[in-house]
Amino acid sequence: MTGETDQAAFRRAIAEVPGFVYHNGLRLALVSLAWVVASLPLVTIGPATLAAYAAVRGLRSDHNRIDRANVWAVVRRNGVASALFSGVPVAFGAVAVTYGVTALREGSLAGEVAALVAAYVALYVALALIPTYVELARGSDPVAAFRYGVGWLARHPTPALATGLLTLVVLAVTAVLTVAFVLLFAGVAFSLQVAVVETVDDRTNETSVAAGATAC
């Protein structure tokens, strides 16, 4: 896929997701169910999401299975960091809502600016956490994973934003029916996210190798 653009890599990743979900439907439904149950305390959403990412990566591997030992190893290594990371966009989102409501009630320009800034930070961090969690699921340490996530977002803003929007679409569609959300959301959304990040990474690596070969 030498010379492939981010947009083409994104489309290729999206095209692979339906087949992946179809062939792994039952296991992804179990992943979704486990994610919902594990996320009920709310503070565990980060570790639950990390575990789901690791499970999806196992299904995407050549072994095509969920390696429970690897999932637990990843959560033990990076579970605390994933919990802290997941709280950042929530905190800034809460600040945005608080300042936004106050600004609308009191007509405060400073409040409106603060709300917009907080909302932007919340969105930026939320998008950066998608590749960050993929890297955490690979076993990288939290600092390196977050740097990777921020760098990935900076290098690939279009697929990052498109992935975020598609995740919201999956959320909206599955939320219509409670059962659909429980059995489908995490499996489909995280499969989509992992597919995009890994496909874009593969495209970038192939381009770099081709460029190096040309330079030689």
Side-chain angles (χ1 to χ4, degrees):
M1 295 295 173
T2 303
E4 186 180 39
T5 64
D6 275 358
Q7 290 82 353
F10 174 79
R11 289 193 294 269
R12 181 158 59 91
I14 297 304
E16 295 172 356
V17 171
F20 174 77
V21 171
Y22 176 79
H23 289 294
N24 298 280
L26 178 58
R27 287 177 289 186
L28 289 175
L30 294 175
V31 168
S32 296
L33 177 61
W35 178 81
V36 170
V37 173
S39 298
L40 289 178
L42 297 182
V43 295
T44 57
I45 289 178
T49 300
L50 178 60
Y53 269 62
V56 168
R57 292 196 71 247
L59 291 175
R60 284 176 52 83
S61 70
D62 293 336
H63 299 292
N64 186 226
R65 66 183 181 86
I66 298 175
D67 186 341
R68 293 181 179 83
N70 178 66
V71 171
W72 284 116
V74 166
V75 173
R76 284 196 302 269
R77 176 180 174 85
N78 292 321
V80 174
S82 68
L84 295 175
F85 287 158
S86 66
V88 176
V90 173
F92 278 99
V95 170
V97 171
T98 300
Y99 275 95
V101 171
T102 302
L104 289 176
R105 186 172 60 247
E106 300 178 358
S108 171
L109 178 59
E112 293 176 0
V113 172
L116 288 174
V117 171
Y120 175 81
V121 173
L123 174 61
Y124 187 89
V125 174
L127 292 177
L129 285 182
I130 294 175
T132 296
Y133 271 69
V134 173
E135 191 67 9
L136 287 174
R138 291 169 178 162
S140 296
D141 68 85
V143 174
F146 187 69
R147 287 176 178 170
Y148 165 84
V150 172
W152 196 93
L153 176 57
R155 293 188 302 273
H156 312 292
T158 301
L161 182 58
T163 302
L165 292 174
L166 280 179
T167 300
L168 290 178
V169 170
V170 174
L171 173 62
V173 171
T174 56
V176 174
L177 296 173
T178 305
V179 174
F181 175 82
V182 172
L183 296 179
L184 292 177
F185 172 70
V188 174
F190 299 155
S191 295
L192 165 69
Q193 294 170 1
V194 173
V196 170
V197 173
E198 292 190 339
T199 302
V200 171
D201 277 351
D202 289 344
R203 193 278 304 175
T204 302
N205 293 336
E206 290 170 359
T207 301
S208 298
V209 170
T214 301
C216 292

